[in-house]
Amino acid sequence: MIRNFRELYSYRGLLLSLVQRELKARYRGSVLGFFWTFLNPTLHMLVYALLFGVFMKNQIPHYAYFMFVGLLPWIWFSTSVSAGASAISDRRDLMTKVRFPAQVLPATVVATNFCNFIFSLPLMVVLGLIFGVVPTWHMVLFPVVVLIQMCFTFAVVYAVSAFNVTFRDLQHIVMNLMTLWFFMTPVLYKLSTIPEEYRRVLQVLNPMSILITSYQAIFYEHRLPDAVPLVSLLGVSIVLLWGATQIFESRREEFAESI
């Protein structure tokens, strides 16, 4: 794992160049261009707020803001995994080049969506101010939660991108699983609404529930995230990242031949 990321760091110039190209190309030709970075999560928020906040009369105070706090990191994760699944298999033009660093491609997907996540944070703060919710000192733990999510996201993306080179159906399976995963994650509802006997099971089986509730604790509930689940997830994410990089490295020689 250390070797993989040491190599990734040595190619940081290439990674930065690919991220910049992806950010510029994503909305190239559209009228609103870069503003879609803000509009996409906003439109998601408005649809869910209308459905669950108005039609279903959700009782969570400042529901639109509550949901937006969880929606932004979820979009970062889900778009990274969905696009990352085909990060290797869709880039035959690059993978057939001599000694092209394959690990840069999944990293580009994660980094690009991370940039969109960061760009959208001021919108979340403004929405909170509209509802009278002001950020507090608990934000000091925000980088810690982001780092843990980064590790977990890298682990998932490296694994699925490596397997998808051989099993092309995986990218379609992943896209459908992300929908199920979304509704199993407390983005639209509070974790406390789940019966207590199932709550711990959900946290064990769904690491994203720990991350989402940590963001909600910092920005919505104005408290520190629960330390034990978060530290446990950090350990699990490091182990998963080590395993994913091992899988990626073991299959890297097959990439150019398989695609």
Side-chain angles (χ1 to χ4, degrees):
M1 181 177 74
I2 296 176
R3 174 175 169 268
N4 185 282
F5 281 93
R6 189 184 295 123
E7 288 183 8
L8 189 61
Y9 180 76
S10 68
Y11 290 108
R12 60 190 181 278
L14 174 61
L15 176 61
L16 179 61
S17 176
L18 289 174
V19 169
Q20 289 176 335
R21 189 174 72 175
E22 286 295 318
L23 288 172
K24 291 176 182 178
R26 178 162 293 188
Y27 303 116
R28 182 179 297 160
S30 64
V31 175
L32 297 177
F34 180 74
F35 284 101
W36 279 109
T37 301
F38 308 105
L39 286 175
N40 276 331
T42 302
L43 291 174
H44 276 84
M45 181 268 293
L46 290 175
V47 170
Y48 290 127
L50 179 65
L51 177 60
F52 293 96
V54 178
F55 294 159
M56 300 184 68
K57 301 187 184 302
N58 197 299
Q59 299 301 311
I60 298 176
H62 311 315
Y63 179 68
Y65 177 67
F66 164 83
M67 179 181 53
F68 203 60
V69 169
L71 193 60
L72 289 184
W74 172 260
I75 290 175
W76 168 27
F77 174 71
S78 62
T79 52
S80 295
V81 175
S82 298
S86 58
I88 302 294
S89 56
D90 285 352
R91 299 311 302 262
R92 179 180 174 84
D93 57 325
L94 295 177
M95 290 306 304
T96 52
K97 294 182 182 297
V98 178
R99 295 182 61 81
F100 182 84
Q103 68 269 35
V104 170
L105 295 177
T108 299
V109 174
V110 176
T112 301
N113 288 294
F114 172 68
C115 289
N116 284 330
F117 170 64
I118 295 299
F119 294 153
S120 300
L121 287 178
L123 185 62
M124 183 188 73
V125 174
V126 170
L127 183 63
L129 294 175
I130 292 173
F131 284 104
V133 182
V134 181
T136 61
W137 66 269
H138 302 92
M139 284 183 61
V140 296
L141 279 184
F142 172 69
V144 176
V145 182
V146 168
L147 179 62
I148 296 173
Q149 180 170 349
M150 182 76 76
C151 289
F152 179 68
T153 305
F154 263 116
V156 176
V157 171
Y158 268 125
V160 297
S161 64
F163 284 124
N164 189 67
V165 172
T166 306
F167 310 105
R168 297 297 179 89
D169 290 338
L170 182 60
Q171 65 192 69
H172 304 291
I173 295 172
V174 165
M175 291 181 66
N176 285 281
L177 283 177
M178 294 311 296
T179 302
L180 174 62
W181 199 338
F182 173 68
F183 288 105
M184 293 292 290
T185 305
V187 175
L188 304 178
Y189 53 88
K190 285 190 173 184
L191 185 64
S192 57
T193 60
I194 298 175
E196 191 171 352
E197 59 268 27
Y198 300 116
R199 204 176 302 164
R200 188 171 297 277
V201 175
L202 178 65
Q203 288 184 308
V204 171
L205 297 179
N206 182 6
M208 282 304 296
S209 67
I210 298 174
L211 290 168
I212 296 300
T213 53
S214 297
Y215 289 113
Q216 292 167 350
I218 292 171
F219 291 105
Y220 180 78
E221 300 171 357
H222 294 162
R223 63 175 180 84
L224 295 177
D226 295 332
V228 174
L230 207 54
V231 172
S232 300
L233 179 56
L234 174 60
V236 170
S237 297
I238 292 174
V239 172
L240 288 176
L241 185 56
W242 176 82
T245 53
Q246 293 296 110
I247 293 170
F248 194 90
E249 287 298 317
S250 67
R251 301 178 66 87
R252 185 157 63 164
E253 297 300 324
E254 307 171 11
F255 289 164
E257 299 175 3
S258 299
I259 61 176

